[in-house]
Amino acid sequence: MAEMWVNFGPQHPFTHGLWRLKVKVDGETVTDVEPTIGYLHRGVEKIAENRTWYQFIPYNDRLCYVASIAWSEGYIGAVEKLMDIEPPERAKYLRTISFELQRIASHFVWLAAYAIDLGNFTAMLFAVREREFILDLLSRLTGHRMTYNYPRFGGVARDAPIGWEDRVVRNLNRIERKMKDFIDLMTENETFLKRVQGVGVLPRNKAKAWGVTGPVARGSGLKTDVRYNDPYLLYEEIGFEPVVMKDGDCYSRYMVRMQEIFESINISRDLAEKMPSGDIQIKAPKKPPEGEVFNRVEVPRGEASYYIVSNGGNSPYRLKIRSPAYIHIQSTKVIMPGHNVADLPAILGSLDVCLGDTDR
Amino acid sequence: MTDINSLAESLKKKFADVQVEVKDGRRAVAEVPSEQILDVMYFMRDSMGRDYLASLSGADYDDRIEVIYLVGSYSDGIIFITKTKLPKGNPAVNSVVEVWPTASFHEREAAEMFGIIFEGHPNLEHLLLPEDFEGHPLRKDYKWW
C-alpha cells in the first residue's frame, strides 16, 4: 500500500494540548512520525529578561498549569542559590509538602486523561474527583486553585492555616483508601492491560540516548530521579528511593506513576505529622549578585532545570528553562514507528506531555 | 559515588586547552575551544560516564555568543556546565546530534533564537517560531517593541 502523511492535531483530542504530530502511515502501520511544536510559544525566556526577579515568579507558575508549584521551586531554588540564602525549616516543610501534593494532583490529571484515552470513563471521573481533595488542600494553603504563586525567595508567601496539617493527613488517608478503585478499574482490568502491555517499548539504551527523564526514564529501568541523585529541600533527610520498572512499555510507565502517587502520599503525610513551628520567611535581597547558577528539580513529568545568568541587574541576563515534556515529545520519533495507529493514544498518554512548558 | 575532582582531572589531562573549574561537590564549569567540542563530548560520554545531555542553549554577550551544554549522568548528580565561545560574526559550531540524538530539538531552538549555525545537524528548520519569522529573538539587539 502507498505510504502517506496524516496530521494529528493541532486540534485533536489525543494530543493533550496544542501541537501537531505528522504520522507517516502504511495502511494501519506507523512508519515515521514528525512532531511539530511551537503553537503555544509565548517567549517566556525573553519575558524573564524584561521583568524583575520577583515579577517573574507568577509568569513561571504559568509554564505548566497542572504542576505550577513544582516549577516555581525550580526557579526559586535557582535564585536562592545565587543569593546564597536558605529558607527556614518550616518553610522547607511547607514547600516540600506542597511540592509532593502537586505531584499527586498532576498524576491524577494524567490518570484521568489516560483513562479516557483508553475508553475508561469511570476511572477518569474518579481521578478528577480525587484530585479535587488535593486542590482543596493547596487552595487552603495558598489561596489559589491552580497557579499558586506560593514559594518566595527565602521562604513561602503565607503560613498554613490552623488545622491544615490534620486536613492533609485526613485527605491523604482518603485518597490512599480510594486508590484501590483505580487498581480494580485499571491495573487489574484485562482490556486495559491488553492495550498497554508490550506497547510503546523504549529500551534502556535509547532512553539514555534520547535524554528522557522522570517516570518515562524510570519505566525504562533507569534509576534516576533528581530527588535521589541531586537532592534539594528536605529530600536528603527523607532518604528517598525512586520507583523503577524495567520493561520500558506503557504499562511500566503507568505503574511507575501509580506507585509514585503512593510514595508522594507517604512523604507528604509524614512531613505534615512532624511539621516544626517557626518562621516561614527570611529577608531576601532585592536582587542576586553577579553569577551563574544551574538548578534542577523533579517536576511530575521529569527533570526541570534552570540555567540562569545574572549580571547583578534588576532582571535575569539569561534564563534557560529545560522542560522534560519537550524531550518526551521528541522521543515519539523512536517510540512510535512500527505500531498501529490505534496504539498512538496509548503511547502518547503514557508520556504525559504538557504543552505549557514544552513551548514556553 | 563518582568524585567530581577526579572527573575534572581526567578531562584536564586529556585536553590541554580545556579549562575546568570545580564549583562544589556536584557542579563543575568547563570552557572548551569550539573546534574541540565534538571530541570533548565523545570523551565525556564514553570515558567520564556522563551519559545524559540535560540541555543545550545559547547566551548572547557583548563580544561573543556562548553555547552552553549541560552534561550530566543518569546515575549521579554531577553536572558539567560546558561552555564554548563563538564569534558574533560567524557563530558556527559542530552539531553534537551524532553524540546525543536528544540534542536535535535543543540545537534547532538555539539556532532560531540566537542564529547559531550547528554544522552537521540534519534539519535546522524553525522549531518554536513560525517558518517565516525573521531575526533571532533572544539576542540582546533584537527589537521586539
Side-chain angles (χ1 to χ4, degrees):
Chain A
M1 217 171 153
E3 291 187 336
M4 63 174 175
W5 286 96
V6 181
N7 272 309
F8 284 81
Q11 306 284 349
H12 191 280
F14 118 105
T15 56
H16 294 200
L18 203 58
W19 65 292
R20 182 161 61 108
L21 186 70
K22 275 161 71 188
V23 183
K24 196 180 193 181
V25 289
D26 182 2
E28 271 295 307
T29 315
V30 176
T31 53
D32 195 7
V33 299
E34 187 66 50
T36 309
I37 57 174
Y39 293 89
L40 218 56
H41 179 60
R42 294 149 291 170
V44 171
E45 291 172 11
K46 189 75 180 177
I47 290 174
E49 292 175 12
N50 296 287
R51 298 288 181 279
T52 67
W53 295 91
Y54 284 84
Q55 278 174 341
F56 186 62
I57 301 173
Y59 280 100
N60 187 66
D61 262 10
R62 279 148 186 81
L63 276 174
C64 179
Y65 30 79
V66 288
S68 72
I69 283 195
W71 281 87
S72 293
E73 188 55 51
Y75 173 64
I76 300 280
V79 180
E80 277 176 351
K81 273 189 192 168
L82 262 181
M83 291 174 169
D84 201 16
I85 54 174
E86 203 162 303
E89 199 63 12
R90 184 174 169 85
K92 276 191 186 173
Y93 269 74
L94 285 168
R95 270 160 67 166
T96 315
I97 295 172
S98 57
F99 195 95
E100 288 302 322
L101 291 176
Q102 182 74 87
R103 184 183 315 278
I104 305 171
S106 171
H107 279 359
F108 273 130
V109 173
W110 157 79
L111 185 59
Y114 203 37
I116 197 93
D117 274 351
L118 300 175
N120 197 335
F121 195 75
T122 318
M124 178 271 232
L125 290 178
F126 282 10
V128 172
R129 183 187 64 191
E130 297 312 318
R131 170 175 178 253
E132 243 6 88
F133 285 88
I134 301 288
L135 294 191
D136 174 56
L137 293 173
L138 288 174
S139 57
R140 271 165 205 273
L141 179 67
T142 66
H144 304 264
R145 194 167 166 277
M146 278 179 77
T147 43
Y148 303 102
N149 194 11
Y150 182 59
R152 289 285 187 280
F153 305 139
V156 291
R158 59 177 80 190
D159 205 347
I162 294 165
W164 187 75
E165 294 90 336
D166 300 335
R167 195 177 277 269
V168 170
V169 175
R170 203 158 67 229
N171 282 11
L172 290 179
N173 282 340
R174 179 209 146 91
I175 290 170
E176 193 177 43
R177 203 167 63 241
K178 290 283 177 184
M179 283 303 286
K180 190 177 178 308
D181 288 351
F182 298 105
I183 293 169
D184 291 346
L185 278 166
M186 296 184 74
T187 315
E188 291 176 358
N189 179 338
E190 203 163 320
T191 336
F192 173 74
L193 293 181
K194 283 222 163 105
R195 297 231 23 210
V196 293
Q197 277 179 336
V199 173
V201 177
L202 179 65
R204 196 184 142 95
N205 58 344
K206 280 194 179 163
K208 270 188 180 179
W210 286 83
V212 300
T213 49
V216 182
R218 292 194 282 280
S220 294
L222 291 165
K223 191 175 181 183
T224 170
D225 191 314
V226 184
R227 293 173 287 171
Y228 172 73
N229 287 337
D230 198 355
Y232 50 96
L233 288 178
L234 294 170
Y235 290 108
E236 198 143 23
E237 299 164 31
I238 293 171
F240 171 85
E241 277 284 319
V243 184
V244 180
M245 301 279 289
K246 53 180 188 302
D247 292 341
D249 56 357
C250 294
Y251 179 72
S252 301
R253 297 192 275 274
Y254 165 82
M255 283 310 286
V256 167
R257 290 205 184 84
M258 290 302 266
Q259 289 172 40
E260 276 183 12
I261 294 180
F262 285 109
E263 199 174 57
S264 296
I265 288 175
N266 286 334
I267 293 174
S268 33
R269 195 170 43 197
D270 289 354
L271 291 179
E273 275 166 356
K274 56 178 189 196
M275 184 131 78
S277 54
D279 285 343
I280 55 154
Q281 170 91 49
I282 59 161
K283 195 161 168 48
K286 275 212 172 62
K287 54 190 184 187
E290 206 175 322
E292 293 173 18
V293 71
F294 172 79
N295 186 46
R296 51 179 177 172
V297 293
E298 184 81 12
V299 301
R301 280 160 192 78
E303 176 185 319
S305 73
Y306 285 75
Y307 179 75
I308 303 180
V309 180
S310 161
N311 61 355
N314 286 324
S315 43
Y317 186 79
R318 168 85 176 108
L319 186 144
K320 161 73 185 169
I321 301 164
R322 189 255 190 212
S323 151
Y326 182 77
I327 300 304
H328 297 163
I329 284 184
Q330 183 177 222
S331 74
T332 55
K333 272 180 94 73
V334 274
I335 305 179
M336 284 179 173
H339 286 89
N340 283 342
V341 174
D343 285 334
L344 296 191
I347 298 170
L348 193 82
S350 74
L351 297 178
D352 189 18
V353 299
C354 171
L355 270 290
D357 62 68
T358 302
D359 286 353
R360 282 158 288 144
Chain B
M1 274 313 250
T2 331
D3 176 37
I4 190 164
N5 290 313
S6 62
L7 288 177
E9 280 308 316
S10 70
L11 185 62
K12 261 189 254 180
K13 215 162 90 185
K14 175 83 182 172
F15 298 96
D17 298 342
V18 176
Q19 292 167 3
V20 191
E21 187 193 345
V22 177
K23 292 274 180 194
D24 58 36
R26 297 205 203 101
R27 302 282 182 272
V29 179
E31 283 198 26
V32 181
S34 64
E35 58 276 6
Q36 287 189 353
I37 196 73
L38 263 180
D39 297 336
V40 171
M41 290 290 144
Y42 271 121
F43 181 75
M44 282 187 172
R45 189 190 70 178
D46 298 334
S47 311
M48 285 165 63
R50 306 295 91 198
D51 50 5
Y52 165 55
L53 180 72
S55 167
L56 182 172
S57 77
D60 182 19
Y61 294 94
D62 292 338
D63 56 337
R64 63 186 191 274
I65 287 194
E66 267 185 11
V67 187
I68 299 139
Y69 305 79
L70 300 165
V71 189
S73 160
Y74 276 106
S75 44
D76 59 50
I78 299 171
I79 288 270
F80 274 78
I81 301 169
T82 311
K83 298 179 188 175
T84 182
K85 289 177 184 168
L86 307 177
K88 273 214 154 166
N90 175 31
V93 67
N94 279 326
S95 163
V96 295
V97 169
E98 56 176 275
V99 193
W100 279 297
T102 178
S104 176
F105 265 24
H106 292 304
E107 287 190 346
R108 278 173 73 182
E109 193 188 329
E112 65 184 352
M113 296 295 175
F114 291 95
I116 302 166
I117 301 150
F118 291 98
E119 282 158 0
H121 189 286
N123 168 20
L124 266 188
E125 281 171 20
H126 281 180
L127 177 71
L128 297 173
L129 299 175
E131 290 119 45
D132 54 354
F133 194 92
E134 285 177 16
H136 304 297
L138 280 179
R139 286 219 187 173
K140 291 288 175 187
D141 55 7
Y142 180 77
K143 293 270 182 267
W144 51 272
W145 58 89

